[in-house]
Amino acid sequence: MAANIKVGISACVLGERVRFDSGHKLSRFVTNELSKHFEFVSVCPEVESGMPVPRPTIRLISDKERIALVESKDQSQNHTQSMLDFSATRIKQLSKQDLCGYIVCAKSPTCGMERVKVYGSNMAEKNGIGLYTNELMQQMPWLPIEEDGRLNDPVLKENFVTRVFCLDDFYQSMQGEPTAGKIVAFHSRYKLTLMAHHPQSYKLLGKLVANIAHYDIDDFYQLYRNGLMQAMAIRASRKNNTNVLMHIQGYFKRDLKRQEKAELCNVIDSYRQGVLPLLAPMTLLKHHMNRYPDDYLQSQKFLNPYPEELRLRYGL
């Protein structure tokens, strides 16, 4: 499979020696698994904004009305404005590339996504966002963003990869020119996915799509993309997945024998109780779909949200 889905990434996570101590934070999952599917766009805000390697450590401090980026041992060396200027310019460039996701370096005062230390006069609080990543979130609110360390969690990992492939599918479906028909067709394929992630958003987006004729198509494209990715950012729960599995099960009520129905019910219930992984009912449902094909079900991305070789549903 061609690695053509563009994903931004902190350069150190790719193994580039750009950190303050000339080190890196190589992620094996990123380089060994995701690199087969993603084309990474590498960025190191600190180096690209003019800081040397190696360099003095930097930190975020609470500076009156705003957060400032300064050197840890000499707070008179203030890098706040240069980092903000760089971030605005670089992210504006990235926004033209149809990025489908971004992997940032955890705890970094420039790239951290959450719980970055912010030093006050008396103590440090883990409530900050790196200056660069904060600008990224502001300029591209629809973009899936995740930290390198959180990708070790199977649920967070699966959710991030699902969102990246979803956004890529959306862009590919539009083919550079959104139309009402393309958006309606895309939404139809993601109905079960949205039900699993956030039933309320599924209903709201359904109403929105039903009124697409009342909008300028470019405005609707932006509105739908934001709503779609906000919904996808909510992790699919075991309860919601179970409801979707039972919904799919209903399509086979006339085809399956009593014993087969009982087996399917038991496997879905075992998943609901946490005894079996999601992969178990999914495999059985796909088996029945091969025997009794249904055009609507076969179009649903819930069943195949990303390449199977990523093996992300094994731990769910």
Side-chain angles (χ1 to χ4, degrees), residues 180 208-217 220:
L208 185 67
V209 170
N211 290 302
I212 192 170
H214 299 152
Y215 291 83
D216 172 83
I217 193 61
F220 188 89

Side-chain angles (χ1 to χ4, degrees), residues 9 40-41 48 54-55 57 68 154 185 218 224 236 269 275 284 293 303:
I9 190 167
F40 288 116
V41 180
E48 292 186 30
R55 58 184 172 273
T57 57
D218 291 330
Y224 181 82
D269 197 54
V275 176
L284 189 54
L303 296 160

Side-chain angles (χ1 to χ4, degrees), residues 25-42:
K25 284 195 68 179
L26 176 71
S27 165
R28 296 292 179 188
F29 174 66
V30 166
T31 55
N32 293 347
E33 302 296 332
L34 294 185
S35 61
K36 299 172 186 175
H37 306 277
F38 299 164
E39 176 187 333
F40 288 116
V41 180
S42 173

Side-chain angles (χ1 to χ4, degrees), residues 113-290:
M113 184 182 80
E114 62 175 27
R115 293 176 57 80
V116 177
K117 281 186 179 180
V118 178
Y119 292 82
S121 54
N122 298 319
M123 60 183 291
E125 295 187 10
K126 293 183 177 180
N127 60 1
I129 301 173
L131 291 192
Y132 173 82
T133 297
N134 187 58
E135 181 69 19
L136 183 65
M137 291 173 165
Q138 297 300 318
Q139 282 199 41
M140 304 173 72
W142 61 87
L143 189 68
I145 301 174
E146 193 52 273
E147 290 184 337
D148 58 333
R150 284 165 49 102
L151 290 175
N152 294 318
D153 181 298
V155 175
L156 298 177
K157 178 195 302 182
E158 197 272 344
N159 177 259
F160 173 71
V161 173
T162 298
R163 287 187 284 152
V164 171
F165 276 93
C166 173
L167 187 54
D168 177 66
D169 191 2
F170 182 64
Y171 288 150
Q172 296 297 325
S173 299
M174 296 305 108
Q175 297 173 314
E177 187 178 346
T179 67
K182 290 175 184 175
I183 293 176
V184 169
F186 173 89
H187 181 73
S188 177
R189 291 190 288 112
Y190 276 82
K191 284 185 176 180
L192 297 185
T193 301
L194 288 166
M195 285 172 63
H197 281 259
H198 197 233
Q200 293 90 333
S201 293
Y202 162 71
K203 294 174 183 176
L204 289 171
L205 285 170
K207 291 178 181 178
L208 185 67
V209 170
N211 290 302
I212 192 170
H214 299 152
Y215 291 83
D216 172 83
I217 193 61
D218 291 330
D219 291 341
F220 188 89
Y221 170 86
Q222 303 281 351
L223 191 62
Y224 181 82
R225 179 177 62 178
N226 283 357
L228 170 71
M229 298 316 297
Q230 284 173 7
M232 295 296 292
I234 299 168
R235 297 187 289 280
S237 67
R238 189 174 295 272
K239 177 184 176 182
N240 289 343
N241 276 334
T242 299
N243 289 339
V244 172
L245 293 170
M246 292 173 67
H247 181 81
I248 297 172
Q249 178 188 25
Y251 280 78
F252 302 108
K253 60 185 177 183
R254 295 179 180 176
D255 300 313
L256 301 184
K257 298 174 183 177
R258 180 179 296 179
Q259 184 178 350
E260 292 173 326
K261 288 179 182 177
E263 178 192 32
L264 185 53
C265 281
N266 287 337
V267 171
I268 291 174
D269 197 54
S270 292
Y271 163 72
R272 180 186 65 81
Q273 296 180 49
V275 176
L276 291 176
L278 179 60
L279 192 64
M282 295 291 290
T283 301
L284 189 54
L285 284 168
K286 288 180 182 180
H287 166 70
H288 292 314
M289 279 178 58
N290 287 332

Side-chain angles (χ1 to χ4, degrees), residues 75-115:
Q75 294 189 8
S76 67
Q77 298 299 311
N78 192 314
H79 300 278
T80 310
Q81 198 57 50
S82 60
M83 183 55 63
L84 291 174
D85 292 343
F86 163 79
S87 299
T89 302
R90 188 72 171 96
I91 294 165
K92 188 175 181 180
Q93 295 169 351
L94 292 173
S95 67
K96 300 174 182 177
Q97 295 190 37
D98 278 351
L99 286 188
C100 294
Y102 210 112
I103 300 171
V104 297
C105 179
K107 301 179 182 178
S108 163
T110 56
C111 293
M113 184 182 80
E114 62 175 27
R115 293 176 57 80

